[in-house]
CSV table of all heavy atoms in Angstrom, one decimal:
chain,number,residue,atom,x,y,z
A,21,PHE,N,77.4,-17.4,67.0
A,21,PHE,CA,77.8,-16.2,67.7
A,21,PHE,C,78.5,-15.3,66.7
A,21,PHE,O,78.3,-14.1,66.7
A,21,PHE,CB,78.7,-16.5,68.9
A,21,PHE,CG,79.0,-15.2,69.7
A,21,PHE,CD1,78.0,-14.5,70.3
A,21,PHE,CD2,80.3,-14.7,69.7
A,21,PHE,CE1,78.3,-13.3,71.0
A,21,PHE,CE2,80.6,-13.6,70.4
A,21,PHE,CZ,79.6,-12.9,71.1
A,22,GLU,N,79.4,-15.8,65.9
A,22,GLU,CA,80.1,-15.0,64.9
A,22,GLU,C,79.0,-14.4,63.9
A,22,GLU,O,79.1,-13.2,63.6
A,22,GLU,CB,81.1,-15.9,64.1
A,22,GLU,CG,82.3,-16.3,64.8
A,22,GLU,CD,83.1,-17.3,64.1
A,22,GLU,OE1,82.6,-18.0,63.2
A,22,GLU,OE2,84.3,-17.4,64.5
A,25,VAL,N,77.4,-11.5,65.7
A,25,VAL,CA,78.3,-10.3,65.7
A,25,VAL,C,78.2,-9.6,64.4
A,25,VAL,O,78.0,-8.3,64.3
A,25,VAL,CB,79.7,-10.7,66.1
A,25,VAL,CG1,80.7,-9.6,65.9
A,25,VAL,CG2,79.8,-11.2,67.5
A,29,LEU,N,76.5,-5.8,63.5
A,29,LEU,CA,77.3,-4.7,62.8
A,29,LEU,C,76.7,-4.3,61.5
A,29,LEU,O,76.7,-3.2,61.1
A,29,LEU,CB,78.8,-5.2,62.6
A,29,LEU,CG,79.6,-5.2,63.8
A,29,LEU,CD1,81.0,-5.9,63.5
A,29,LEU,CD2,79.8,-3.8,64.4
A,37,LEU,N,80.3,-0.2,65.5
A,37,LEU,CA,79.8,-0.1,66.8
A,37,LEU,C,80.9,-0.3,67.8
A,37,LEU,O,81.9,-1.0,67.6
A,37,LEU,CB,78.8,-1.3,67.0
A,37,LEU,CG,77.8,-1.2,68.1
A,37,LEU,CD1,76.9,0.1,68.0
A,37,LEU,CD2,76.9,-2.4,68.1
A,38,GLN,N,80.8,0.5,68.9
A,38,GLN,CA,81.8,0.4,70.0
A,38,GLN,C,81.7,-1.0,70.6
A,38,GLN,O,80.6,-1.6,70.7
A,38,GLN,CB,81.5,1.4,71.0
A,38,GLN,CG,82.6,1.6,72.0
A,38,GLN,CD,82.4,2.8,72.9
A,38,GLN,OE1,81.9,3.8,72.5
A,38,GLN,NE2,82.8,2.6,74.2
A,39,MET,N,82.8,-1.6,70.9
A,39,MET,CA,82.9,-3.0,71.4
A,39,MET,C,82.0,-3.2,72.6
A,39,MET,O,81.3,-4.3,72.7
A,39,MET,CB,84.3,-3.4,71.7
A,39,MET,CG,85.2,-3.6,70.5
A,39,MET,SD,84.9,-5.1,69.6
A,39,MET,CE,85.6,-6.3,70.8
A,40,SER,N,81.9,-2.3,73.5
A,40,SER,CA,81.0,-2.5,74.7
A,40,SER,C,79.6,-2.6,74.3
A,40,SER,O,78.8,-3.4,74.8
A,40,SER,CB,81.3,-1.4,75.7
A,40,SER,OG,81.0,-0.1,75.2
A,41,ASP,N,79.2,-1.8,73.3
A,41,ASP,CA,77.8,-1.8,72.8
A,41,ASP,C,77.5,-3.1,72.1
A,41,ASP,O,76.5,-3.7,72.2
A,41,ASP,CB,77.5,-0.6,71.9
A,41,ASP,CG,77.5,0.7,72.7
A,41,ASP,OD1,77.2,0.7,73.9
A,41,ASP,OD2,77.8,1.7,72.1
A,42,LEU,N,78.5,-3.5,71.3
A,42,LEU,CA,78.4,-4.8,70.6
A,42,LEU,C,78.3,-6.0,71.5
A,42,LEU,O,77.4,-6.9,71.3
A,42,LEU,CB,79.6,-5.0,69.6
A,42,LEU,CG,79.6,-6.2,68.7
A,42,LEU,CD1,78.3,-6.2,67.8
A,42,LEU,CD2,80.8,-6.2,67.8
A,43,ALA,N,79.0,-5.9,72.6
A,43,ALA,CA,78.9,-7.0,73.6
A,43,ALA,C,77.5,-7.0,74.2
A,43,ALA,O,76.9,-8.1,74.4
A,43,ALA,CB,79.9,-6.8,74.7
A,44,ALA,N,76.9,-5.8,74.5
A,44,ALA,CA,75.6,-5.8,75.1
A,44,ALA,C,74.6,-6.3,74.1
A,44,ALA,O,73.7,-7.0,74.5
A,44,ALA,CB,75.3,-4.3,75.5
A,46,THR,N,74.9,-8.4,71.8
A,46,THR,CA,75.0,-9.9,71.5
A,46,THR,C,75.0,-10.7,72.8
A,46,THR,O,75.3,-11.9,72.8
A,46,THR,CB,76.4,-10.2,70.7
A,46,THR,OG1,77.5,-9.7,71.5
A,46,THR,CG2,76.3,-9.6,69.4
A,47,ALA,N,74.6,-10.0,73.9
A,47,ALA,CA,74.6,-10.7,75.2
A,47,ALA,C,75.8,-11.4,75.5
A,47,ALA,O,75.8,-12.6,75.9
A,47,ALA,CB,73.3,-11.6,75.3
A,48,SER,N,77.0,-10.8,75.4
A,48,SER,CA,78.3,-11.4,75.5
A,48,SER,C,79.1,-10.6,76.5
A,48,SER,O,78.9,-9.4,76.7
A,48,SER,CB,79.0,-11.4,74.2
A,48,SER,OG,80.3,-11.9,74.3
A,49,SER,N,80.1,-11.2,77.1
A,49,SER,CA,81.1,-10.5,77.9
A,49,SER,C,82.1,-9.9,76.9
A,49,SER,O,82.2,-10.3,75.8
A,49,SER,CB,81.8,-11.4,78.8
A,49,SER,OG,82.6,-12.3,78.0
A,50,LEU,N,82.7,-8.8,77.3
A,50,LEU,CA,83.7,-8.2,76.5
A,50,LEU,C,84.9,-9.2,76.2
A,50,LEU,O,85.4,-9.2,75.1
A,50,LEU,CB,84.3,-6.9,77.1
A,50,LEU,CG,83.5,-5.6,76.9
A,50,LEU,CD1,84.1,-4.5,77.7
A,50,LEU,CD2,83.6,-5.3,75.4
A,51,SER,N,85.2,-10.0,77.1
A,51,SER,CA,86.3,-11.0,76.9
A,51,SER,C,85.9,-12.0,75.8
A,51,SER,O,86.7,-12.2,74.9
A,51,SER,CB,86.5,-11.7,78.3
A,51,SER,OG,87.5,-12.8,78.1
A,52,ARG,N,84.7,-12.5,75.9
A,52,ARG,CA,84.3,-13.5,74.8
A,52,ARG,C,84.2,-12.8,73.5
A,52,ARG,O,84.7,-13.3,72.5
A,52,ARG,CB,82.9,-14.1,75.2
A,52,ARG,CG,82.4,-15.0,74.1
A,52,ARG,CD,81.1,-15.6,74.4
A,52,ARG,NE,80.7,-16.6,73.3
A,52,ARG,CZ,79.5,-16.8,73.0
A,52,ARG,NH1,78.5,-16.2,73.5
A,52,ARG,NH2,79.2,-17.7,72.0
A,53,LEU,N,83.7,-11.6,73.5
A,53,LEU,CA,83.5,-10.8,72.2
A,53,LEU,C,84.9,-10.5,71.6
A,53,LEU,O,85.1,-10.7,70.4
A,53,LEU,CB,82.7,-9.6,72.4
A,53,LEU,CG,82.6,-8.7,71.2
A,53,LEU,CD1,81.8,-9.4,70.1
A,53,LEU,CD2,82.0,-7.3,71.6
A,54,SER,N,85.8,-10.1,72.5
A,54,SER,CA,87.2,-9.8,72.0
A,54,SER,C,87.8,-11.0,71.3
A,54,SER,O,88.5,-10.8,70.3
A,54,SER,CB,88.0,-9.2,73.1
A,54,SER,OG,89.3,-8.8,72.7
A,55,HIS,N,87.7,-12.1,71.9
A,55,HIS,CA,88.3,-13.4,71.4
A,55,HIS,C,87.7,-13.7,70.0
A,55,HIS,O,88.4,-13.9,69.0
A,55,HIS,CB,88.0,-14.5,72.3
A,55,HIS,CG,88.5,-15.8,71.9
A,55,HIS,ND1,89.9,-16.1,71.8
A,55,HIS,CD2,87.9,-16.9,71.4
A,55,HIS,CE1,90.0,-17.3,71.3
A,55,HIS,NE2,88.8,-17.8,71.1
A,56,VAL,N,86.3,-13.6,69.9
A,56,VAL,CA,85.7,-13.9,68.6
A,56,VAL,C,86.0,-12.8,67.6
A,56,VAL,O,86.2,-13.1,66.4
A,56,VAL,CB,84.1,-14.0,68.9
A,56,VAL,CG1,83.4,-14.1,67.5
A,56,VAL,CG2,83.9,-15.3,69.7
A,57,VAL,N,86.0,-11.6,68.0
A,57,VAL,CA,86.3,-10.5,67.1
A,57,VAL,C,87.8,-10.7,66.5
A,57,VAL,O,88.0,-10.4,65.3
A,57,VAL,CB,86.1,-9.1,67.7
A,57,VAL,CG1,86.8,-8.0,66.9
A,57,VAL,CG2,84.6,-8.8,67.8
A,58,GLY,N,88.7,-11.1,67.4
A,58,GLY,CA,90.0,-11.4,66.9
A,58,GLY,C,90.0,-12.5,65.8
A,58,GLY,O,90.8,-12.3,64.8
A,59,ARG,N,89.2,-13.5,66.0
A,59,ARG,CA,89.1,-14.5,64.9
A,59,ARG,C,88.5,-13.9,63.6
A,59,ARG,O,89.0,-14.2,62.5
A,59,ARG,CB,88.3,-15.7,65.4
A,59,ARG,CG,88.9,-16.6,66.3
A,59,ARG,CD,88.2,-18.0,66.5
A,59,ARG,NE,86.8,-17.9,66.4
A,59,ARG,CZ,86.0,-18.2,67.5
A,59,ARG,NH1,86.5,-18.4,68.7
A,59,ARG,NH2,84.7,-18.2,67.3
A,60,LEU,N,87.5,-13.1,63.8
A,60,LEU,CA,86.9,-12.5,62.6
A,60,LEU,C,87.8,-11.5,61.9
A,60,LEU,O,87.8,-11.4,60.7
A,60,LEU,CB,85.5,-11.9,63.0
A,60,LEU,CG,84.4,-12.8,63.5
A,60,LEU,CD1,83.3,-12.0,64.1
A,60,LEU,CD2,84.0,-13.7,62.3
A,61,GLU,N,88.6,-10.9,62.7
A,61,GLU,CA,89.6,-9.9,62.2
A,61,GLU,C,90.6,-10.7,61.3
A,61,GLU,O,91.0,-10.2,60.3
A,61,GLU,CB,90.2,-9.2,63.3
A,61,GLU,CG,90.8,-7.8,63.0
A,61,GLU,CD,91.2,-7.0,64.2
A,61,GLU,OE1,91.4,-7.6,65.3
A,61,GLU,OE2,91.3,-5.8,64.1
A,62,LYS,N,91.1,-11.8,61.8
A,62,LYS,CA,92.1,-12.6,61.1
A,62,LYS,C,91.5,-13.1,59.7
A,62,LYS,O,92.2,-13.2,58.8
A,62,LYS,CB,92.5,-13.8,61.9
A,62,LYS,CG,93.5,-13.5,63.0
A,62,LYS,CD,93.8,-14.7,63.8
A,62,LYS,CE,94.7,-14.3,65.0
A,62,LYS,NZ,94.9,-15.3,65.9
A,63,ARG,N,90.2,-13.3,59.7
A,63,ARG,CA,89.5,-13.7,58.5
A,63,ARG,C,89.1,-12.5,57.6
A,63,ARG,O,88.5,-12.6,56.6
A,63,ARG,CB,88.3,-14.5,58.8
A,63,ARG,CG,88.7,-15.9,59.4
A,63,ARG,CD,87.5,-16.6,60.0
A,63,ARG,NE,86.5,-16.9,58.9
A,63,ARG,CZ,85.3,-17.4,59.1
A,63,ARG,NH1,84.9,-17.7,60.4
A,63,ARG,NH2,84.5,-17.7,58.2
A,66,LEU,N,86.0,-8.2,59.7
A,66,LEU,CA,85.8,-7.0,60.4
A,66,LEU,C,87.2,-6.4,60.8
A,66,LEU,O,88.2,-7.1,60.8
A,66,LEU,CB,84.9,-7.1,61.6
A,66,LEU,CG,85.2,-8.0,62.7
A,66,LEU,CD1,86.2,-7.5,63.7
A,66,LEU,CD2,83.9,-8.2,63.5
A,67,THR,N,87.2,-5.1,61.2
A,67,THR,CA,88.4,-4.5,61.7
A,67,THR,C,88.1,-3.9,63.1
A,67,THR,O,86.9,-3.6,63.4
A,67,THR,CB,88.9,-3.4,60.8
A,67,THR,OG1,87.9,-2.4,60.6
A,67,THR,CG2,89.3,-4.0,59.4
A,68,ARG,N,89.1,-3.6,63.9
A,68,ARG,CA,89.0,-2.9,65.1
A,68,ARG,C,89.9,-1.7,65.1
A,68,ARG,O,90.9,-1.7,64.5
A,68,ARG,CB,89.5,-3.8,66.3
A,68,ARG,CG,88.5,-4.8,66.8
A,68,ARG,CD,89.0,-5.5,68.0
A,68,ARG,NE,89.9,-6.5,67.7
A,68,ARG,CZ,90.3,-7.5,68.5
A,68,ARG,NH1,89.9,-7.5,69.7
A,68,ARG,NH2,91.2,-8.4,68.1
A,69,ALA,N,89.4,-0.6,65.7
A,69,ALA,CA,90.2,0.6,65.8
A,69,ALA,C,89.9,1.3,67.1
A,69,ALA,O,88.8,1.4,67.5
A,69,ALA,CB,89.8,1.6,64.6
A,70,ARG,N,91.0,1.8,67.8
A,70,ARG,CA,90.9,2.5,69.0
A,70,ARG,C,90.1,3.8,68.8
A,70,ARG,O,90.3,4.4,67.7
A,70,ARG,CB,92.2,2.8,69.6
A,70,ARG,CG,93.0,1.6,70.1
A,70,ARG,CD,92.6,1.0,71.4
A,70,ARG,NE,92.4,2.0,72.4
A,70,ARG,CZ,93.3,2.2,73.4
A,70,ARG,NH1,94.4,1.5,73.4
A,70,ARG,NH2,93.1,3.1,74.4
A,76,ARG,N,89.8,3.2,77.2
A,76,ARG,CA,90.2,2.1,76.3
A,76,ARG,C,89.0,1.7,75.5
A,76,ARG,O,88.4,0.6,75.7
A,76,ARG,CB,90.7,0.9,77.2
A,76,ARG,CG,92.0,1.2,77.9
A,76,ARG,CD,92.4,0.0,78.7
A,76,ARG,NE,92.4,-1.2,77.9
A,76,ARG,CZ,92.7,-2.4,78.4
A,76,ARG,NH1,92.9,-2.5,79.6
A,76,ARG,NH2,92.7,-3.4,77.6
A,77,ARG,N,88.5,2.6,74.7
A,77,ARG,CA,87.4,2.3,73.8
A,77,ARG,C,87.8,1.9,72.4
A,77,ARG,O,88.7,2.5,71.9
A,77,ARG,CB,86.5,3.5,73.8
A,77,ARG,CG,85.9,3.9,75.2
A,77,ARG,CD,85.2,5.2,75.2
A,77,ARG,NE,86.0,6.3,74.7
A,77,ARG,CZ,85.5,7.3,73.9
A,77,ARG,NH1,84.3,7.3,73.6
A,77,ARG,NH2,86.4,8.2,73.5
A,78,THR,N,87.1,0.9,71.9
A,78,THR,CA,87.4,0.4,70.6
A,78,THR,C,86.2,0.2,69.7
A,78,THR,O,85.2,-0.3,70.3
A,78,THR,CB,88.2,-0.9,70.7
A,78,THR,OG1,89.3,-0.8,71.5
A,78,THR,CG2,88.6,-1.5,69.4
A,79,ASN,N,86.3,0.6,68.5
A,79,ASN,CA,85.2,0.3,67.5
A,79,ASN,C,85.4,-1.0,66.8
A,79,ASN,O,86.6,-1.3,66.4
A,79,ASN,CB,85.0,1.5,66.5
A,79,ASN,CG,84.2,2.6,67.1
A,79,ASN,OD1,83.4,2.5,68.0
A,79,ASN,ND2,84.4,3.8,66.5
A,80,ALA,N,84.4,-1.7,66.4
A,80,ALA,CA,84.5,-2.8,65.5
A,80,ALA,C,83.7,-2.3,64.2
A,80,ALA,O,82.6,-1.8,64.3
A,80,ALA,CB,83.8,-4.0,66.1
Side-chain angles (χ1 to χ4, degrees):
F21 185 66
E22 289 170 340
V25 168
L29 287 173
L37 196 59
Q38 191 170 323
M39 289 285 287
S40 58
D41 293 332
L42 184 56
T46 57
S48 171
S49 68
L50 273 172
S51 175
R52 178 181 185 210
L53 178 64
S54 183
H55 179 72
V56 169
V57 164
R59 285 196 323 250
L60 293 170
E61 205 170 20
K62 285 178 186 169
R63 293 172 59 189
L66 59 77
T67 60
R68 281 186 279 195
R70 294 285 308 262
R76 294 180 50 185
R77 298 174 303 142
T78 303
N79 277 338

